[in-house]
Amino acid sequence: MLKSTTILAGALTAAVATTAAAEGELNLYSSRHYDTDERLYTDFEEATGITINRIEGKADELIARMQAEGENSPADVLLTVDTSRLARAKNAGVLQSIESATLEERIPANLQDNDNQWFGFSQRARIIFVDTDEVANPPQTYLDLAKPEYKGMVCHRSSSNVYSQTLLSSIIEKHGEEAAREWAAGMVANFARAPQGGDTDQLRGIISGECDISVANSYYFARALRKDVKGLTADIDQITWIFPSQDAEGAHMNLSGGGVAAHAPNRENAIKFLEYLASDQAQQYFSGGNDEFPTVPGVEKSESVAKLGEFVADDVNLSDVAENLPTAQKIFNDVGWE
């Protein structure tokens, strides 16, 4: 029987708080919205006897809520998607540093916070997709996307999207602010349409003929290989993919991760849960259930993810990349990236 309780109403926080310190509980604030994660929670409960109480919502709302709750927050763990949000949580003071030999050993150093306040548990490669019939010489790097030869061909998400922000932040880290500014301006000049929609919409844009080149996270495409995605799967052979910068820094990786809440009443349970997320079993769930790449080296990838092939991933320290986010947003504003 599923023991996890999804709590949506803010009024229930007080009720959770009164039992938060009880032995055998874990209060999880999560912005991950994937049904397949249920297996992660139920298996942890069965293995440990610890009951997970969940509060779900958008990342920024959960971070703001934890700030407002302060020392009385029932939160033990925050799970969210993208380095920018993990950095936002750290800067908001809602996470704490922890010591865990398991996490230190299993999670690569570049996929964890420099102060051990957050750790990455799954990854998505942000890669280039092209129309196989329309693009004879596709871009091979992120910087190539801004070349004049691709004018009017590129679809991308808005500048307010965290994936866009983190990609530009990584370009700043690797190539410097001036090169990043030139890239962003070139991208705006090459847009086939105003930035809009999610990653699946960028892929559908190729199918519909609105654009010839798109940028999206790998797991949206892998999902369409595994099961039917409306407006994408039926014509997916029209699209090919490119892992960018294979002769340079490698493909940019987006991170899904979490950390222990600053005032966690069940701190030891929280650390146990994070360590469980780094286990081979949990890592395989991330890949098999949601088409993501494991962060722990050597864990077998799911069939849909393996179909994308081997590639070189950027090993930049994502904690350093996060420090460039304010500069990235300023560049977006300056060049008119909507």
Side-chain angles (χ1 to χ4, degrees):
M1 183 177 69
L2 180 64
K3 298 179 183 177
S4 300
T5 304
T6 301
I7 305 173
L8 300 177
L12 293 180
T13 297
V16 176
T18 59
T19 60
E23 184 177 355
E25 290 197 342
L26 173 77
N27 299 314
L28 172 64
Y29 282 30
S30 176
S31 68
R32 282 182 60 96
H33 54 271
Y34 313 112
D35 293 339
T36 51
D37 284 357
E38 296 290 347
R39 185 72 182 273
L40 290 168
Y41 307 141
T42 55
D43 280 9
F44 175 77
E45 290 179 319
E46 291 171 3
T48 64
I50 297 170
T51 299
I52 298 177
N53 305 304
R54 262 184 295 151
I55 294 177
E56 297 183 330
K58 294 181 179 179
D60 290 343
E61 294 172 353
L62 292 175
I63 292 169
R65 178 173 181 160
M66 292 170 73
Q67 284 183 294
E69 291 168 342
E71 294 183 2
N72 295 319
S73 176
D76 292 310
V77 169
L78 173 69
L79 284 185
T80 189
V81 174
D82 195 77
T83 309
S84 63
R85 290 185 177 124
L86 292 166
R88 198 171 301 163
K90 177 183 178 180
N91 293 336
V94 300
L95 300 178
Q96 62 172 282
S97 299
I98 63 169
E99 293 185 6
S100 166
T102 298
L103 293 173
E104 285 289 323
E105 291 170 4
R106 293 185 64 79
I107 305 298
N110 66 304
L111 303 181
Q112 55 180 278
D113 175 53
N114 290 337
D115 298 316
N116 286 1
Q117 290 202 15
W118 54 257
F119 299 83
F121 297 109
S122 62
Q123 301 180 91
R124 306 88 177 268
R126 192 145 192 85
I127 59 180
I128 297 171
F129 296 90
V130 302
D131 188 319
T132 55
D133 296 327
E134 300 295 331
V135 186
N137 298 297
Q140 297 298 311
T141 71
Y142 298 107
L143 297 185
D144 284 350
L145 288 164
K147 289 182 175 180
E149 64 191 88
Y150 302 119
K151 186 175 179 63
M153 299 173 68
V154 181
C155 284
H156 204 284
R157 294 183 71 156
S158 72
S159 63
S160 62
N161 175 255
V162 291
Y163 299 146
S164 301
Q165 294 168 1
T166 308
L167 177 58
L168 182 54
S169 296
S170 72
I171 292 174
I172 294 170
E173 187 68 21
K174 286 291 186 177
H175 301 282
E177 185 176 340
E178 183 177 349
R181 184 178 296 275
E182 291 177 0
W183 176 80
M187 285 287 287
V188 171
N190 287 350
F191 284 155
R193 64 185 184 191
Q196 59 188 262
D199 275 17
T200 303
D201 296 309
Q202 312 314 313
L203 298 170
R204 288 179 178 137
I206 295 177
I207 300 297
S208 68
E210 291 180 85
C211 46
D212 300 316
I213 303 169
S214 292
V215 178
N217 277 347
S218 55
Y219 80 125
Y220 291 98
F221 189 79
R223 181 182 301 163
L225 292 174
R226 176 171 57 87
K227 65 179 185 179
D228 184 59
V229 175
K230 184 177 179 181
L232 181 56
T233 300
D235 298 299
I236 203 165
D237 288 345
Q238 184 180 333
I239 302 175
T240 192
W241 62 95
I242 296 161
F243 287 103
S245 308
Q246 293 300 279
D247 294 327
E249 66 266 25
H252 172 67
M253 306 298 288
N254 278 313
L255 201 62
S256 181
V260 176
H263 305 290
N266 301 293
R267 186 175 185 273
E268 293 306 312
N269 288 349
I271 295 174
K272 286 180 183 178
F273 180 67
L274 294 187
E275 291 176 343
Y276 164 73
L277 294 182
S279 69
D280 283 2
Q281 175 179 283
Q283 289 286 295
Q284 288 171 351
Y285 286 158
F286 281 121
S287 187
N290 202 44
D291 307 290
E292 298 175 271
F293 291 98
T295 56
V296 174
V299 174
E300 184 178 0
K301 298 188 288 284
S302 68
E303 182 179 354
S304 62
V305 175
K307 283 181 180 179
L308 298 178
E310 297 297 321
F311 67 99
V312 177
D314 191 351
D315 63 358
V316 66
N317 188 310
L318 293 182
S319 190
D320 295 338
V321 168
E323 295 181 5
N324 297 323
L325 288 164
T327 302
Q329 191 58 65
K330 183 178 186 304
I331 289 174
F332 279 137
N333 295 341
D334 290 346
V335 302
W337 187 321
E338 298 178 8

